[in-house]
Structure formats: C-alpha cells, structure tokens
C-alpha cells in the first residue's frame, strides 16, 4: 500500500508506495511550503529509475538515473537560478568519464576525467574558454592545484591512492594563505 506522512500543518510531507514490505514504485517528498523536494522510483526496496530533486523555491536541483540502488549514466546539477552547473557520468556509483562544471553563463569552468571512480586529469578554464590549469594523476596519485583567474593558486594538495592525503592549502586572491587542512586517506 501507500504510506503518507504529514507536516504538523497538515500538508503532505511524503508519499511512498510499498509492496511486500519494501518500497516499490514512486516515492514523493515535499517541502513544508508544498513544493516538490524529491521524486524517486523504487524496485524491490532499492532506487531504480529516474530521480529528481528540487530547491525549496521549486527550481530543479539535480536529476539522474539509479539502477538497483547505484548511480548510472548522466546526472545533471543546477544552481538555484536553473543554470546547469555540473554534468557527471556514473557507472555503478563511480564517476566514469568527464565531470563538467560550468559558469552560470553556461561556459565550461572545470573538466575532470575519471575512470571507474579514479581521477585521471583535471582541467580548468577561464571565462573565455582558454585552458588555464591542468593536473594529471597516475594511479590516483598527483598534485591537485586550482587557480584564481589572476593565475595565483586558489588551492593545492596531493592525492594518493585516489584520496586527498597530507596538507591541503587554500589561498586568497592575492596569494596569502587562507586556511590549511590535513587529510589522511581522504579524511580530514
């Protein structure tokens, strides 16, 4: 049957279909203002099908496919104004192929190549589409650097075994240190 949840106001909060004790079919979640928050489809208790998320003001935030609970294919992410901000491709929950990040005007900002979840290459572009930075990784290891438009470093650190490892620094536009973070096996 269908299970329904409500906010204290009486407005519908969530509606989920079940069959044999497992989620099956459509599940829909709402914000307190009544706007859609999430729509997902389940098969035998796992997300299976097209999934969408919205901002509380109604603008689409994210959309993509899941198959048997795993992210698959193209996933699109939007900013609060509706501009495409990120385009990823997944294979069995792993980033696989290029991850594209865009400026609000739609021009390419960053392009990161992944192979079955492992980072291979990171490229950064200015607002005219000119490549301004490139980082390459071998077996998930290498230096990651992101730059400001003036060419100064924005952030830098190292990857080891496909995870941040060691000191990762952030800098102000003028090159002065902003913050230092420390990672061990990807954990801060």
């Amino acid at each position: 049957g269908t299970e329904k949840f409500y906010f204290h106001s009486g407005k519908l909060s969530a509606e989920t279909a079940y069959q044999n004790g497992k989620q099956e079919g459509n599940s829909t979640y709402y914000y307190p203002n009544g706007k859609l928050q999430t729509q997902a489809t389940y098969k035998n208790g796992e997300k299976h099908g097209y999934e969408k998320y919205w901002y509380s003001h109604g603008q689409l935030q994210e959309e993509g496919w899941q198959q048997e609970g795993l992210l698959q294919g193209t996933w699109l992410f939007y900013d609060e104004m509706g501009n495409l901000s990120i385009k990823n491709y997944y294979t069995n929950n792993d980033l696989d192929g290029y991850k594209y990040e865009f400026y609000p005007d739609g021009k390419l900002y960053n392009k990161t190549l992944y192979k079955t979840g492992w980072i291979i290459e990171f490229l950064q572009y200015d607002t005219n589409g000119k490549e301004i930075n490139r980082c390459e990784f071998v077996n998930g290891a290498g230096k990651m650097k992101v730059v400001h438009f003036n060419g100064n470093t924005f952030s830098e650190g190292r990857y080891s075994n496909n995870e941040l490892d060691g000191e990762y620094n952030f800098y102000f536009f003028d090159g002065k240190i902003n913050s230092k973070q420390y990672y061990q096996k990807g954990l801060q």
Side-chain angles (χ1 to χ4, degrees):
T2 300
E3 181 176 44
K4 293 183 179 184
F5 291 91
Y6 297 88
F7 291 108
H8 188 264
S9 66
K11 289 184 178 180
L12 186 63
S13 165
E15 189 171 19
T16 304
Y18 286 86
Q19 187 175 14
N20 299 322
K22 295 181 179 180
Q23 285 181 285
E24 186 74 29
N26 296 326
S27 288
T28 306
Y29 299 85
Y30 300 90
Y31 286 105
N33 65 8
K35 296 202 181 270
L36 283 171
Q37 181 180 28
T38 307
Q39 281 185 330
T41 304
Y42 287 81
K43 181 178 178 184
N44 202 27
E46 293 183 326
K47 288 184 177 181
H48 192 84
Y50 206 68
E51 192 169 333
K52 289 183 173 185
Y53 297 85
W54 287 268
Y55 291 103
S56 60
H57 66 287
Q59 179 60 52
L60 185 61
Q61 181 178 13
E62 176 181 345
E63 60 183 328
W65 287 94
Q66 290 214 33
Q67 186 174 345
E68 297 175 356
L70 300 174
L71 301 174
Q72 302 286 0
T74 302
W75 275 74
L76 304 173
F77 299 80
Y78 305 90
D79 65 22
E80 291 196 40
M81 299 300 295
N83 302 304
L84 180 64
S85 59
I86 299 172
K87 180 180 178 181
N88 291 336
Y89 188 82
Y90 290 93
T91 302
N92 298 326
N93 250 20
D94 288 327
L95 285 166
D96 199 19
Y98 280 105
K99 172 183 179 180
Y100 300 97
E101 297 176 77
F102 302 96
Y103 290 106
D105 67 1
K107 291 180 181 174
L108 187 61
Y109 174 58
N110 293 331
K111 183 168 73 171
T112 310
L113 177 60
Y114 292 89
K115 183 159 179 67
T116 58
W118 287 71
I119 189 168
I120 305 296
E121 182 179 60
F122 171 80
L123 296 101
Q124 190 177 0
Y125 300 89
D126 68 13
T127 55
N128 293 318
K130 179 184 173 197
E131 182 182 310
I132 57 173
N133 185 34
R134 176 187 294 255
C135 303
E136 294 180 357
F137 303 85
V138 177
N139 297 321
K143 182 178 180 181
M144 174 59 121
K145 179 179 177 182
V146 180
V147 298
H148 289 289
F149 294 121
N150 65 358
N152 287 344
T153 301
F154 170 76
S155 66
E156 63 183 347
R158 295 205 58 80
Y159 273 79
S160 177
N161 201 28
N162 207 42
E163 298 175 325
L164 285 172
D165 194 36
E167 187 174 286
Y168 199 89
N169 296 321
F170 291 86
Y171 302 90
F172 290 107
F173 195 73
D174 64 3
K176 292 181 182 174
I177 192 75
N178 179 342
S179 66
K180 292 184 178 197
Q181 300 175 352
Y182 298 90
Y183 290 84
Q184 187 173 19
K185 297 183 179 178
L187 300 174
Q188 189 174 12

